[in-house]
Amino acid sequence: MGPRLHRLAALLAVVLGGGGISQVQAVPAEVFGKHGGNFWGWGSNERGQLGMSSSAGKMRAPTYGSDLWPGWEGVNATKVVVGQPQGQGEFTIVLTLDGRLFSFGDCRSGTLGVAAEFCSVDNCAAVDSCQKTPQLVDFSAYESETWFPPTIVDVAAGEKFAVALASNGLVFAWGDGYYNGIANGCCTLASGCAGCTTYYTPVLASGLNGAALGNSLPVAIAAGPNFLFVTTDAGGVWVVGTNAKGQLGLGHTNEIYIPTQNTNLDSPRVIRVGLFHGAAITKDGAVVVWGEWRNGAT
């Protein structure tokens, strides 16, 4: 069975326009709110996930970005994503208007997209392998390409990996390759992801580019702790990763090691995922949900 359809008598949408808050990202420990090109952060900072360049354990009140780190002065942020911790994953990535990515926080699985030696420059209160000062995600491995540096237009974060989408349709990923959202070919049907390693800087996700997606271009990405959704310009949806709770919406619970098209979803307007479930607004305006129903999630 595909995603379960819930037709709502009334759809409550929280959209604060006219200069109000346009985005909120929250995990159990920290919160980021965005307003225009600016943002605020507050909550836990034991792993540097607020990017404060200090050893402060917590920020109890909402604090303006440039007061967290002076380097944010004059930077326009278009999106802030936070990792989805289940033991690790307390990190943050900020996408800017000019297509750059800054990252900070827990780096034990290479989730910051920076060279390994930068992961432990600023030791944090709770873990050594972290970075409490925002760093630019490092795409220098591709500096010989005509499109370098890539202009990033979307970003998503799991627990031990992160994924970025460039304006030319290329998908990059970094982090623990065993969490098969990396989709760079290291996972196979025969051996699963046993041959994967940790990728500290971005690698091209070959399984999510070009011919692998039916010669269509990715236009949106969404990540759970260890799974990934990619929507293309042709309206197709491709998924990869853990599926024990049916969180990929395929109608079964088999692990997906190689990106696979989810034919239960056709041209969705938007997809959002949680720890073990997902939801989408279809092209007809209906709301569909799938995955684990615990706590009323679906």
Side-chain angles (χ1 to χ4, degrees), residues 61-77:
T63 303
Y64 191 60
S66 59
D67 290 328
L68 292 171
W69 180 56
W72 292 127
E73 188 68 42
V75 173
N76 265 327

Side-chain angles (χ1 to χ4, degrees), residues 45 48 50-56 67-72 104 122 131-135:
N45 188 53
L50 291 181
M52 295 170 57
S53 296
S54 79
S55 297
D67 290 328
L68 292 171
W69 180 56
W72 292 127
F104 41 95
D122 289 326
Q131 177 58 257
K132 62 192 178 189
T133 301
Q135 301 285 323

Side-chain angles (χ1 to χ4, degrees), residues 7 82 93 119:
R7 295 193 177 275
V82 293
I93 301 176
C119 278

Side-chain angles (χ1 to χ4, degrees), residues 103 107 110-115 119 136-139 174-175 199-202:
S103 63
C107 194
T111 48
L112 301 188
V114 298
C119 278
L136 279 170
V137 172
D138 181 9
F139 291 93
W174 56 94
Y199 302 90
Y200 281 92
T201 57

Side-chain angles (χ1 to χ4, degrees), residues 177-271:
Y178 185 80
Y179 283 68
N180 32 354
I182 297 292
N184 67 343
C186 70
C187 297
T188 65
L189 292 175
S191 60
C193 300
C196 297
T197 185
T198 296
Y199 302 90
Y200 281 92
T201 57
V203 295
L204 278 171
S206 56
L208 296 171
N209 287 300
L213 300 181
N215 292 318
S216 56
L217 290 176
V219 294
I221 51 180
N226 42 26
F227 60 97
L228 183 67
F229 280 71
V230 176
T231 304
T232 73
D233 58 357
V237 176
W238 298 73
V239 296
V240 63
T242 298
N243 191 38
K245 307 290 187 181
Q247 56 263 56
L248 296 183
L250 293 169
H252 60 72
T253 56
N254 299 329
E255 193 96 346
I256 300 298
Y257 295 109
I258 298 172
T260 299
Q261 187 168 11
N262 184 333
T263 56
N264 294 316
L265 292 168
D266 178 29
S267 302
R269 297 182 187 177
V270 64
I271 294 175

Side-chain angles (χ1 to χ4, degrees), residues 18-38:
I21 294 173
S22 61
Q23 180 195 352
V24 174
Q25 284 287 312
V27 296
E30 71 269 5
V31 179
F32 282 89
K34 192 176 80 66
H35 166 223
N38 307 312

